[in-house]
Structure formats: structure tokens, C-alpha cells
Amino acid sequence: MGFTEDIAKLSEQVRKRSDQVVGEESTKMALIVPFLSALGYDVYDPSEVMPEYVADFAIKKAGQFEKVDYALAINGTIVMLVEAKARGQKAEAHDGQISRYFNGLLTTKIAIVTNGIDYRFFTDLRDRNVMDKEPFFIFNILEYELKDIDNLKFFHRDNFDAAAITNHAEEMVYVKGMTQLLGNLLRSPSEEFVRFLVAELGTVAPSYEIQGRITGKVIEKFKPIVKKSIQGSLVELMTRSLSQEIVQPVEVEVEQEIEEEEKQQESQESKIITTAEEIEVFEKIKAITQTSKNYNFEVKYKDTASYFGINLGKTTWWFLRLYLSSQKKSFITRLNVDEVKSLAPEFEVQEVTASIGDAASKVIIASVSDIDKLASLILRCYEAEATKHQTFIPGAIRMEKSA
């Protein structure tokens, strides 16, 4: 079952049981905990989902330390905080407690305030390490669209990447703001907008250049013309075929944006400490890929707060994501479950329920030494990803030093 189906199933359960949920504790157990589980967090592991979390900097009030309802950790690092409200209460406001924790825990970039129906996601777009007052994403478990599921996937345990979430959150906020501005302009063009278009008219059609000052009378004359022009432009954009001439420049721009985001993420993650165990795993995997008779791609790693990724020289070209905490060890592949099971019959293989891209299966390992036993699977993962990109970098050279 995929992530979309998991959320749909949970939505139906919440719809059936929500009327019977009364109070904050009932909301937590019946609504919020199943949601955290759907996001891939082990709600039975107190090192991963920590209820009633108290930090060492917590303030003591009325004889008790301040605490947050849940702290979610990946590989021992707290990445998200959750403040619970009773079902029926508004999830809009919070008492400031969660923001103090957010500001104090520098590794934490996401805070959620929820009543079990609405999930409001906060980060620190305005001031670094200071929780924003407004959420950048709101998810309603009972009323959502497919694009909301795509946004929600960023917070799944198997995908969690603080830098990627920050970039995505910033884009969501800007797109929302720009959409509102453009919508207002298209419905009712402002005087400044009309004045700008009239002034520019001469550059695209010199014979129609307006002589003299653009007075209020000129503005009023052109307002209905601007509205009609906007409508015509929108119709043309919607009906125009997506020819190669249009698509190609967009692809180039997207590629440039991805590369720029990768640079920003590398800068933000420069403080992450790569462990000796992670380096050992990387060397083992690199040695396995060097046995390939078909491909000779550069192999690199990307270390994040939540996973250790292995890629073909670009972070988006990953073929393994490893999770190497002291309690649990596993890795995610982009192969389907049946193929992975056939290549790793002695290991536990699970279907991945959420993904950014096409990740499909998780392999549970006991220790780093298991990597040697899984050489055939790892080589297959490497070659499967290399096949996708061989036309982009023909004859790519393998580098001895990782980035």
C-alpha cells in the first residue's frame, strides 16, 4: 500500500471516529498517533516518538517543567515537535511553549500544531531558529487534494531532509503570495499596473506609443483594454500546445534551479558530522559499484540529519539512502519489493509507503557488515539508477574522493 492510500485509509478512520473523540488525551491516541505512524515514525519506540518531551533548558512553572506533547527524532536527532489540541479546539493558536522549544532546539526545523484534523506546519523562514508566527502548510485530514499529499510526503521519516523542506516551504509561501497578487491584478488591474503596461506598449508596438503624459483619463481608457488583453493571454496560454520549443527552456531552468538548491543544501548541512561508520559503509558500497562491467559513474555521498544518501554525482540521482542509528539500521532502494526480496532472501524487506521520487523498498540490516552480504542487491541498485542517466553523462569517470 502506498502513502496516498495510507492517508486515504486514515482519513476514513478519522471521519468515522472523530465524533467519539473527547479531550486532548483521546485526540492524541485516536487521531494524532495514527497520523504520526502514517508518516513512518515508530510510535512504539520512545527514542523516535517521545511523548511529553522535556528539554534540559525547559522553564519551570507552577512546580512543573514546560514540555511539548511529542518530539520526533531520526537517528537520535530531534527533527519535529508536535503540540496537541483537543478535537474541536482551533489548531490556529499555540501557547508559546512549542515556539520556545523550537527556538532552543537548533536541529529542529519543523513544529506542528494540531487538533487531530488540521495539521499546521511551522518553520523559521523569517528569522533563522525562530519559529514563524504563521504556518507555511496546512493539512486537513478530512479535506485534502493530491497536491497536499505531495507536500505531506516531505515530512515522512524516509524522506525527511531539513534543507529540502526549508526550500520547499519558502517556495510554497512565495507561490501563495504571488498567486494572490497576480489574482488581484488580473481581476482588478491597479492604476500602477495599467500605467506600466501603457508605458511599455511603445516598446512592443512602436506605432501605438502613447504621446505625452499618461494621465488619469488615459488610465481609465486603458483599464477595460488591459482586462480584455489579460483574458486573451490566459486563453492563449491554456490552449497553446506544449511543443519542444516551449518545454526545452523550462527543463534547462529547472535543472539550474536544482543545482542551485543542491549548493544551498550543502552549505546548510556543512555542520553535520559524518561518522566513521557512515564512511565505512560508503567505502564498502563504492567498492561494490566498482565491480560493475557496464557503468563507471562517479559515486558520492550526501549526509543529512535524517539519512546518509549514496548517489551518482548528483543528489537527485541517489540509489541508496541509509539509516544507521544505534538502535535500528536499514536502507531504502528504488527497486520494487519483489526484486529486492529475490536479491536479499535472508533479510527483512518492507514496502516503502511514501516517497519523493520512486523509492519502493526498505531493507532491514543488523550491522554494517551485512552490506557485504548484499553486494548483488547494491550493484543492481547502482546499475538501475545508472541506466536512467547514462545518456546524460556518457563515460562518466569514477572519482576516488567523495564530496
Side-chain angles (χ1 to χ4, degrees):
M1 185 182 293
F3 184 58
T4 302
E5 291 76 16
D6 286 345
I7 295 298
K9 182 178 179 181
L10 177 60
S11 176
E12 187 60 29
Q13 291 175 347
V14 171
R15 197 179 302 279
K16 290 179 180 178
R17 67 173 63 143
S18 60
D19 288 341
Q20 303 169 11
V21 175
V22 179
E24 185 178 311
E25 290 304 315
S26 180
T27 300
K28 290 178 184 177
M29 296 307 299
L31 306 180
I32 298 174
V33 167
F35 181 79
L36 300 180
S37 180
L39 287 182
Y41 296 90
D42 187 348
V43 296
Y44 302 106
D45 183 351
S47 69
E48 190 162 297
V49 177
M50 295 172 268
E52 305 294 316
Y53 178 75
V54 178
D56 54 11
F57 55 78
I59 299 172
K60 199 170 187 178
K61 288 186 176 181
Q64 292 186 333
F65 285 105
E66 282 189 333
K67 55 193 175 186
V68 290
D69 293 299
Y70 296 99
L72 307 184
I74 298 177
N75 297 337
T77 299
I78 296 176
V79 295
M80 284 201 289
L81 302 171
V82 182
E83 180 176 314
K85 304 285 186 182
R87 188 200 65 81
Q89 280 190 324
K90 291 184 178 181
E92 297 174 1
H94 55 84
D95 57 14
Q97 200 162 284
I98 193 169
S99 62
R100 285 190 287 275
Y101 267 72
F102 182 99
N103 300 345
L105 294 169
L106 300 183
T107 60
T108 304
K109 292 297 179 184
I110 300 297
I112 303 173
V113 180
T114 179
N115 58 8
I117 306 296
D118 282 320
Y119 291 82
R120 302 171 71 85
F121 292 77
F122 297 80
T123 188
D124 57 351
L125 295 179
R126 290 188 177 275
D127 297 296
R128 190 175 182 183
N129 298 325
V130 177
M131 180 175 156
D132 295 332
K133 292 182 179 179
E134 295 296 326
F136 67 90
F137 173 50
I138 300 174
F139 183 80
N140 185 303
I141 190 66
L142 299 180
E143 298 178 8
Y144 61 83
E145 300 176 3
L146 285 178
K147 65 178 182 180
D148 297 322
I149 295 294
D150 290 336
N151 290 328
L152 194 62
K153 286 179 181 179
F154 278 86
F155 308 99
H156 193 280
R157 187 192 186 282
D158 292 336
N159 301 324
F160 197 95
D161 184 328
I165 289 174
T166 298
N167 289 336
H168 187 63
E170 193 172 56
E171 179 182 311
M172 290 174 67
V173 170
Y174 287 154
V175 168
K176 181 179 179 181
M178 291 289 187
T179 301
Q180 290 175 343
L181 287 173
L182 287 172
N184 292 336
L185 280 174
L186 297 180
R187 284 190 295 270
S188 180
S190 67
E191 180 176 324
E192 292 78 8
F193 185 53
V194 175
R195 186 182 298 276
F196 166 76
L197 290 178
V198 172
E200 290 291 307
L201 188 60
T203 64
V204 295
S207 59
Y208 295 107
E209 185 173 2
I210 305 301
Q211 301 296 326
R213 294 174 58 249
I214 302 175
T215 63
K217 188 175 181 180
V218 173
I219 297 295
E220 289 303 314
K221 175 185 176 180
F222 273 90
K223 271 191 175 181
I225 295 174
V226 168
K227 284 186 178 181
K228 190 175 293 186
S229 300
I230 289 171
Q231 292 172 356
S233 296
L234 291 176
V235 170
E236 183 182 352
L237 285 171
M238 286 187 290
T239 57
R240 184 185 300 172
S241 62
L242 296 176
S243 65
Q244 184 63 30
E245 182 181 354
I246 299 171
V247 174
Q248 185 60 36
V250 173
E251 289 179 346
V252 172
E253 288 179 15
V254 169
E255 184 69 21
Q256 290 173 343
E257 288 176 4
I258 290 174
E259 290 178 358
E260 186 62 32
E261 285 184 6
E262 287 177 6
K263 291 177 182 177
Q264 293 175 1
Q265 290 179 22
E266 288 171 4
S267 174
Q268 292 177 16
E269 293 171 353
S270 60
K271 296 181 180 179
I272 293 174
I273 298 174
T274 302
T275 66
E277 184 178 50
E278 289 169 335
I279 293 297
E280 180 185 355
V281 168
F282 175 72
E283 293 300 331
K284 284 178 178 288
I285 292 172
K286 186 168 72 170
I288 291 170
T289 64
Q290 289 173 343
T291 65
S292 174
K293 298 178 181 179
N294 302 313
Y295 300 100
N296 195 28
F297 272 81
E298 177 181 13
V299 176
K300 291 185 177 182
Y301 67 75
K302 175 189 176 185
D303 197 1
T304 75
S306 55
Y307 65 81
F308 185 76
I310 313 294
N311 61 68
L312 303 181
K314 283 194 172 186
T315 56
T316 54
W317 295 2
W318 63 272
F319 60 95
L320 291 175
R321 284 184 176 178
L322 297 106
Y323 301 83
L324 303 174
S325 70
S326 56
Q327 295 89 3
K328 302 176 181 178
K329 289 180 171 53
S330 63
F331 62 84
I332 287 178
T333 84
R334 282 181 144 159
L335 304 180
N336 65 62
V337 172
D338 292 336
E339 184 174 9
V340 172
K341 285 182 176 179
S342 68
L343 292 170
E346 299 178 7
F347 292 83
E348 179 184 351
V349 180
Q350 302 173 355
E351 182 180 9
V352 174
T353 58
S355 65
I356 298 175
D358 54 358
S361 54
K362 177 189 288 187
V363 180
I364 310 300
I365 59 176
S367 66
V368 170
S369 62
D370 283 340
I371 296 296
D372 297 320
K373 304 174 185 176
L374 293 162
S376 59
L377 170 60
I378 290 168
L379 183 60
R380 171 61 185 141
C381 292
Y382 165 75
E383 293 192 335
E385 188 65 18
T387 301
K388 300 177 187 176
H389 307 294
Q390 61 178 329
T391 57
F392 291 91
I393 308 180
I397 300 173
R398 181 183 290 112
M399 303 292 288
E400 288 300 321
K401 185 177 180 182
S402 65

